[in-house]
Amino acid sequence: MRKKTCYIICEDNNDYRESLMAFLDEDDELVCCGSFENAENIINKINTSQPDVVLMDIDMPVKNGIEALKEIKQSLPEKEVIMLTVFEDRENVFEAVCAGASGYLLKNTSPVIIAESIRVVMNGGAAMTPVIARKALQFFQKPLKNNAPGLTAQEQQVLKLLVNGLSYKMIAAKIDVVIDTIRYHIKKIYDKLHVHSAPEAVAKAIRDKLV
Amino acid sequence: MRKKTCYIICEDNNDYRESLMAFLDEDDELVCCGSFENAENIINKINTSQPDVVLMDIDMPVKNGIEALKEIKQSLPEKEVIMLTVFEDRENVFEAVCAGASGYLLKNTSPVIIAESIRVVMNGGAAMTPVIARKALQFFQKPLKNNAPGLTAQEQQVLKLLVNGLSYKMIAAKIDVVIDTIRYHIKKIYDKLHVHSAPEAVAKAIRDKLV
DNA sequence: CATCATACTACATCATCATGTAACGTTACG
DNA sequence: CGTAACGTTACATGATGATGTAGTATGATG
């Protein structure tokens, strides 16, 4: 017989937790090895219950579910975590995905789908509803040509080289002009980016994907 | 009666294209308004056929499907594009998702799922298999605590402030030490990051997620 | 044609940075 | 208890950066 998949659930709503567990217990591939109403000392909880998958609520007393997720991925990165929450805002989805959640489901998701999602995650997939998936993907659909500050071609080139760590002198040599020309461009760049130093400019360029 | 969803398909394999169309035509919510064996002049094709959704192969003669996707998102960002391909490598998935694909399916996907995926996309969702979704998500799961260079707590603090654009003087004021102390820390940081200037350090810190 | 934006060069000046050397205190460790 | 790692301050010096002013040239725009 196939080895069962063990899961734990962290969820402060007793009714929801109990009813979900009751349903999942009907599935003969799944077995609950822990049920908690908060995520305190989540690492200890996992070490004692040894689950394959963690179902994690977000809004819980004492310890936020995303914080718990981060702790898990810090200490036990191989554990799969599926967020199970009422939130579907970009912030929470983004946080959870960045922190390494393998799934993100809403609580109104059918228990059938939740069971299926656990299987999906165990098979190396990610489990989320299409709408959540869309939100997740939107985060790294680069607004790529974010040339809002209206940098000219030369300025972009100079900024790029600056970001790559080149000094004025090196940039000048690279694009074959005098160093004063680089000063000129850099000043213009600073004005447009509203900064006053190279580190600021570099940080802004990278973060705003200007290069 | 509900308005039908119009789609076009760009796919160089005639057999696959024809058989998929034949199946999708059975679905009374879907109607094919264009069928092409390459993605040349994709904008023109779309303007004349006016689809809601584009099914796009990647490996096609003349014009790569991802290039076509980029053109579509550039000119007609509201059109939904679902990639339909044999490739499931990180590169292609990443490229497609970044370029704004609303879905990414493998050609061995059941036609039933493909039809369902079109509906999903029309309802504001993203359509992909769990395994593809996982690959997509992995791209922006930050390896967050990348403190490989072994920076001390103070050094991390100083680096963070430097990245935020503060001058030595400002950093010194912020953590209430003399400017020479900042010089000392910065030097250490440069040594550990193997850089020799603030812009380099900032770029490295952000890219390697040291802060 | 006049004007504007862009690009390049030059010169000047003060501020800031990069680097080295050196000394002192604290905490942790074998 | 000596040593090592870390944090702190100090001093010095040459290099680089930040900012301003100013002149020239070119292509585009109206």
Side-chain angles (χ1 to χ4, degrees):
Chain A
M1 175 182 167
R2 187 186 308 182
K3 183 187 176 303
K4 291 191 177 190
T5 294
C6 302
Y7 70 91
I8 64 173
I9 176 168
C10 295
E11 162 65 60
D12 61 325
N13 182 316
N14 291 324
D15 290 344
Y16 181 83
R17 189 179 70 248
E18 298 289 339
S19 66
L20 177 59
M21 280 174 56
F23 179 89
L24 294 180
D25 272 352
E26 297 296 308
D27 191 308
D28 57 12
E29 285 182 19
L30 302 179
V31 55
C32 181
C33 57
S35 165
F36 312 98
E37 59 184 8
N38 65 58
E40 263 185 301
N41 297 320
I42 184 66
I43 302 301
N44 288 344
K45 287 181 167 72
I46 291 178
N47 280 336
T48 56
S49 54
Q50 290 290 323
D52 302 301
V53 177
V54 177
L55 300 180
M56 178 74 73
D57 188 20
I58 288 185
D59 184 32
M60 285 180 292
V62 188
K63 165 81 69 180
N64 176 284
I66 289 183
E67 290 308 313
L69 165 64
K70 288 177 183 171
E71 288 179 24
I72 295 171
K73 285 295 163 179
Q74 190 83 32
S75 306
L76 307 163
E78 74 287 357
K79 295 295 176 191
E80 306 284 357
V81 180
I82 298 175
M83 306 309 286
L84 192 52
T85 171
V86 295
F87 302 120
E88 52 182 326
D89 58 284
R90 291 171 65 90
E91 261 60 47
N92 277 300
V93 173
F94 182 65
E95 282 288 311
V97 169
C98 284
S102 303
Y104 195 109
L105 301 174
L106 297 181
K107 284 194 184 171
N108 60 18
T109 302
S110 142
V112 181
I113 300 290
I114 294 178
E116 183 55 32
S117 294
I118 294 176
R119 270 185 283 272
V120 159
V121 165
M122 286 304 292
N123 287 318
M128 47 192 150
T129 65
V131 172
I132 298 286
R134 179 76 156 226
K135 290 183 186 188
L137 291 195
Q138 280 170 350
F139 277 110
F140 63 139
Q141 284 171 10
K142 27 185 162 180
L144 59 164
K145 271 308 168 202
N146 192 352
N147 194 10
L151 297 180
T152 67
Q154 291 295 324
E155 287 161 1
Q156 286 186 50
Q157 170 74 351
V158 170
L159 179 56
K160 177 166 173 279
L161 294 172
L162 187 70
V163 168
N164 287 341
L166 279 67
S167 67
Y168 286 17
K169 196 183 292 184
M170 292 157 77
I171 297 175
K174 193 88 174 181
I175 65 180
D176 195 36
V177 293
V178 184
I179 195 172
D180 285 293
T181 304
I182 305 304
R183 293 191 210 278
Y184 163 83
H185 287 306
I186 297 267
K187 186 74 189 76
K188 290 260 190 177
I189 293 169
Y190 287 0
D191 288 345
K192 290 180 181 176
L193 299 191
H194 308 298
V195 300
H196 302 280
S197 72
E200 282 183 279
V202 169
K204 187 148 195 160
I206 295 179
R207 291 188 168 137
D208 294 0
K209 298 197 199 308
L210 303 179
V211 288
Chain B
M1 174 182 166
R2 186 187 308 181
K3 183 186 176 304
K4 291 189 177 189
T5 294
C6 303
Y7 70 91
I8 63 174
I9 177 169
C10 295
E11 164 62 61
D12 62 325
N13 181 316
N14 290 324
D15 290 345
Y16 182 83
R17 189 178 70 248
E18 299 290 340
S19 66
L20 178 59
M21 281 174 56
F23 179 89
L24 294 180
D25 272 351
E26 297 297 307
D27 191 308
D28 58 11
E29 285 182 20
L30 303 179
V31 54
C32 180
C33 58
S35 165
F36 312 97
E37 61 182 11
N38 66 59
E40 264 186 299
N41 296 318
I42 184 66
I43 303 301
N44 288 344
K45 287 181 168 74
I46 292 178
N47 281 335
T48 57
S49 54
Q50 290 289 323
D52 302 301
V53 177
V54 177
L55 299 181
M56 179 74 73
D57 187 21
I58 288 185
D59 184 33
M60 286 180 291
V62 187
K63 164 85 67 179
N64 177 284
I66 289 183
E67 290 307 312
L69 164 64
K70 288 178 182 171
E71 287 180 25
I72 295 171
K73 285 295 163 178
Q74 189 83 29
S75 306
L76 307 163
E78 76 285 359
K79 295 296 177 192
E80 305 286 356
V81 180
I82 298 174
M83 306 310 285
L84 192 54
T85 171
V86 295
F87 301 121
E88 52 182 325
D89 57 286
R90 292 170 67 89
E91 261 59 47
N92 277 299
V93 173
F94 182 65
E95 282 287 310
V97 169
C98 284
S102 304
Y104 195 110
L105 301 175
L106 298 181
K107 284 193 182 172
N108 61 17
T109 303
S110 140
V112 180
I113 301 291
I114 295 178
E116 183 55 32
S117 294
I118 294 175
R119 272 185 282 274
V120 159
V121 166
M122 286 304 291
N123 287 320
M128 45 193 153
T129 65
V131 172
I132 298 287
R134 178 76 156 226
K135 290 184 185 186
L137 292 195
Q138 280 171 348
F139 277 111
F140 62 139
Q141 283 173 10
K142 27 184 159 182
L144 58 163
K145 271 309 169 199
N146 192 349
N147 193 13
L151 297 181
T152 68
Q154 291 295 325
E155 287 162 358
Q156 285 186 52
Q157 170 74 352
V158 170
L159 180 56
K160 176 164 172 280
L161 295 171
L162 187 69
V163 168
N164 287 342
L166 279 67
S167 67
Y168 286 17
K169 197 184 292 184
M170 292 156 76
I171 297 175
K174 193 88 175 182
I175 66 181
D176 196 36
V177 293
V178 182
I179 195 171
D180 286 293
T181 305
I182 306 304
R183 292 191 212 279
Y184 164 83
H185 286 305
I186 297 268
K187 185 72 188 75
K188 290 264 192 175
I189 292 169
Y190 287 1
D191 288 344
K192 290 180 181 176
L193 299 191
H194 307 298
V195 299
H196 302 280
S197 73
E200 280 182 281
V202 168
K204 187 145 194 162
I206 295 179
R207 292 190 167 136
D208 293 358
K209 301 199 198 305
L210 302 180
V211 289

